[in-house]
Amino acid sequence: MAEEKRRKTKHNLWKRDQSLFTRQTKEKDLLGFDLVPNRIQGKFEFIYIEFGGVENTKEVVGTSLVSKRWRSLWKLVPRLDASSSDLINNFLMLSKAPVLETLNLRLDENSYDPEENERWVSIAAARQVRDLELLRYGFRRTSLLPCPRSLFTCKGLVVLCLQQVSICDIPSTVFLQTLKTLSLVCVKFVSRDGLVHRLLSACPILETLTVCRWSEDRVTTFAIAIPSLQNLYIMQRPDSDGLIYDCEYVVNAPALKTLKVLDKFGHFRSLVKMPKLVKAEIKIRQEDSEKLMGCLTSAKHLSLCLTSGATTPKSFEFLCQVEYLELCTNCSSDWLSLVLRHSPKLRVLRLSRKNCGMFRECGPQWDFEAQRGFEVQWEKPCCVPECLVSSLEIVEWIGYRGTEAEKEAAIYILDKSKHLKKMTLYRKITNLREKYRTLIDLMSRMSCGCTCRLEFVRL
């Protein structure tokens, strides 16, 4: 009897363990990670709240159905990321989070009402929102998202992103004292230049500014005077109807560390020195490019793409600190010899023919054969550049075609570089025979003392 009782007890314990294992496995499959024991369940609830904020709000609410204990936890999630007006209304009414950290409203013209939009942002401002994104799907000049006036009352705002938004007025008392990141993508300023100045002057500690301009922004002079600014990204949106418009920039940001300018129509009316600048990417089409180049003297990481209409700078002083340089050979191939002579600290040289894709007259960025390419003759420097003797280690040539001028330039760099470790050539070829013919042609003309590793990559 005792043996039978012991056997039944053991069988019941086994069934209980199997049931528990099956239930945990199902919940694990739904959640994607193991359950946490009850003794640290409180910590798991905190983890759930943090995890829930990363996903879409609709998915977070759905996850709460996995367990009764988690059924109301989604109300404590401090982030709202949604595009449905019903979901936004329900979330804001039922949410119990003491602080609404993030509010991402991605709306189309049928999913919002201006009054509702104003109310949502007003609630977010009262809940001390820190990260606010206001975005309208689609692209129609006649149907922009009106900017809520309550947005300018968000005193704890740290990140603000506006896309396809129309700003009619900004209160003169606005003061975004905590804002550090501002993104303006296809924003229309109804009162033109004055609104830009009022908005930027209300951000005393702004560190990152992104401006994507378009032909309907109604701003002639985009003035950026922010002493605290560290990162500036200026882009010009290519309009589908091909509109060409004149615009200019006034930049007074001496603390800049990163500068990115992609604009084929705009020009700089005024600039200040940027002694802390480390990284710059310049793709412009303008005659007065030297004004911008004179402010890049401290840059160590530089990418240049100037169309053929731009004149060669009189001085290459801006290259004196450059360690990484990317040069567009489609528009500035005649610069290569000058670049090597005036960049004594250069370690990485990247020659590319695809950067000009933003300019229609240069052809598609993948069609290398349709682009201008390297000059007919390679002009050797009068003396061996200092960077080839002391610092150059890596060379990448994207869009290499194997013309006589390109071969001479590649062989010159291979022969004269004392510390070159690797040269990689990227070429559009049709068969392996062409690849090996290119390698053999280069290697046969190299000096015996060259120890650089030569690689060939098919595009």
Side-chain angles (χ1 to χ4, degrees):
M1 289 294 294
E3 182 65 25
E4 181 68 18
K5 185 177 180 180
R6 191 161 46 249
R7 187 182 65 80
K8 288 183 177 181
T9 303
K10 185 176 181 181
H11 179 71
N12 291 336
L13 289 173
W14 178 82
K15 288 182 67 178
R16 187 194 67 179
D17 291 342
Q18 281 293 103
S19 176
L20 179 62
F21 175 78
T22 302
R23 179 166 57 83
Q24 288 185 343
T25 302
K26 289 181 179 179
E27 294 185 351
K28 176 182 176 181
D29 290 341
L30 288 170
L31 290 173
F33 47 81
D34 292 317
L35 294 179
V36 181
N38 288 332
R39 65 178 178 272
I40 57 172
Q41 188 68 31
K43 292 183 179 179
F44 177 73
E45 290 176 358
F46 173 76
I47 295 173
Y48 171 85
I49 293 171
E50 292 298 309
F51 173 78
V54 177
E55 302 294 327
N56 185 277
T57 301
K58 188 175 181 179
E59 296 175 0
V60 172
V61 176
T63 306
S64 67
L65 301 177
V66 172
S67 171
K68 291 182 179 179
R69 185 161 188 170
W70 303 341
R71 189 162 295 172
S72 61
L73 283 182
W74 69 269
K75 299 178 183 179
L76 299 176
V77 173
R79 298 176 178 88
L80 171 58
D81 184 349
S83 57
S84 168
S85 58
D86 292 337
L87 180 58
I88 297 171
N89 282 323
N90 292 333
F91 185 94
L92 291 176
M93 285 191 298
L94 299 175
S95 175
K96 297 180 180 179
V99 175
L100 185 63
E101 293 183 358
T102 303
L103 176 62
N104 294 334
L105 301 180
R106 298 182 173 92
L107 309 170
D108 59 33
E109 58 185 1
N110 299 319
S111 65
Y112 79 97
D113 178 79
E115 294 182 359
E116 275 192 331
N117 189 28
E118 182 76 43
R119 182 171 59 86
W120 295 337
V121 176
S122 180
I123 294 174
R127 301 277 291 280
Q128 302 176 20
V129 64
R130 298 171 185 172
D131 186 338
L132 177 60
E133 180 185 37
L134 198 56
L135 180 152
R136 196 190 77 80
Y137 283 120
F139 183 74
R140 292 184 181 178
R141 293 183 175 86
T142 58
S143 180
L144 297 178
L145 191 67
C147 182
R149 288 183 61 85
S150 53
L151 182 147
F152 302 109
T153 64
C154 301
K155 296 183 178 180
L157 202 59
V158 178
V159 179
L160 175 60
C161 177
L162 302 177
Q163 181 169 337
Q164 295 191 39
V165 172
S166 175
I167 300 180
C168 297
D169 187 28
I170 298 177
S172 58
T173 57
V174 63
F175 186 53
L176 302 174
Q177 57 185 356
T178 58
L179 192 67
K180 292 186 176 181
T181 302
L182 175 61
S183 180
L184 304 173
V185 180
C186 296
V187 175
K188 180 178 181 179
F189 295 90
V190 177
S191 298
R192 299 181 181 267
D193 301 10
L195 285 181
V196 176
H197 173 73
R198 187 178 299 178
L199 176 60
L200 297 183
S201 62
C203 310
I205 64 169
L206 193 66
E207 296 179 356
T208 301
L209 174 62
T210 300
V211 179
C212 183
R213 301 191 61 181
W214 62 316
S215 58
E216 295 293 323
D217 64 10
R218 296 199 176 186
V219 179
T220 303
T221 302
F222 210 104
I224 302 170
I226 309 174
S228 61
L229 196 64
Q230 298 181 18
N231 308 293
L232 176 59
Y233 308 100
I234 298 175
M235 287 155 280
Q236 182 261 340
R237 183 188 183 280
D239 290 294
S240 58
D241 53 7
L243 290 177
I244 299 177
Y245 59 98
D246 293 327
C247 56
E248 59 183 10
Y249 300 94
V250 173
V251 179
N252 185 0
L256 273 185
K257 296 180 180 179
T258 304
L259 174 64
K260 184 174 182 179
V261 182
L262 314 178
D263 194 327
K264 63 179 180 179
F265 296 129
H267 63 278
F268 289 85
R269 190 180 75 186
S270 175
L271 283 165
V272 298
K273 293 290 184 180
M274 307 169 191
K276 299 181 180 180
L277 192 68
V278 176
K279 185 176 181 179
E281 181 177 354
I282 311 299
K283 299 180 183 180
I284 56 177
R285 181 186 180 183
Q286 58 180 49
E287 296 299 330
D288 58 346
S289 59
E290 192 165 351
K291 183 182 297 184
L292 178 59
M293 299 304 172
C295 298
L296 307 179
T297 53
S298 64
K300 295 183 178 181
H301 189 293
L302 187 59
S303 178
L304 290 178
C305 180
L306 304 177
T307 59
S308 55
T311 57
T312 303
K314 297 178 181 178
S315 171
F316 279 81
E317 183 185 358
F318 64 93
L319 293 171
C320 60
Q321 300 294 329
V322 171
E323 297 179 4
Y324 176 101
L325 176 64
E326 181 173 0
L327 185 66
C328 176
T329 58
N330 187 54
C331 59
S332 305
S333 58
D334 50 338
W335 286 21
L336 180 56
S337 178
L338 295 171
V339 164
L340 293 176
R341 285 165 47 194
H342 293 88
S343 50
K345 298 182 180 180
L346 187 64
R347 291 191 305 106
V348 179
L349 174 62
R350 184 182 176 94
L351 303 174
S352 175
R353 301 183 59 213
K354 67 179 182 179
N355 285 347
C356 275
M358 65 175 289
F359 302 113
R360 296 178 181 176
E361 61 271 21
C362 294
Q365 65 179 29
W366 61 84
D367 187 5
F368 295 119
E369 300 302 324
Q371 299 180 16
R372 189 168 69 94
F374 217 69
E375 292 295 320
V376 178
Q377 279 190 331
W378 154 249
E379 183 181 350
K380 294 182 181 180
C382 55
C383 58
V384 179
E386 183 179 346
C387 65
L388 299 186
V389 178
S390 61
S391 60
L392 190 63
E393 298 178 356
I394 298 174
V395 175
E396 294 182 354
W397 198 323
I398 301 175
Y400 179 86
R401 292 186 299 175
T403 63
E404 194 61 31
E406 290 178 341
K407 289 178 186 177
E408 291 180 5
I411 291 170
Y412 180 84
I413 294 174
L414 286 167
D415 285 344
K416 302 300 181 181
S417 299
K418 302 299 183 182
H419 300 276
L420 191 62
K421 299 177 181 178
K422 183 179 178 181
M423 176 181 281
T424 306
L425 304 177
Y426 297 82
R427 183 179 179 185
K428 184 179 180 180
I429 59 175
T430 56
N431 54 62
L432 290 176
R433 180 179 297 178
E434 187 178 354
K435 168 183 175 179
Y436 290 119
R437 186 186 296 120
T438 302
L439 285 174
I440 292 172
D441 188 20
L442 282 177
M443 294 177 67
S444 64
R445 299 173 60 177
M446 289 167 51
S447 62
C448 299
C450 182
T451 60
C452 171
R453 179 181 175 183
L454 184 61
E455 291 187 355
F456 193 96
V457 179
R458 179 179 177 180
L459 286 172

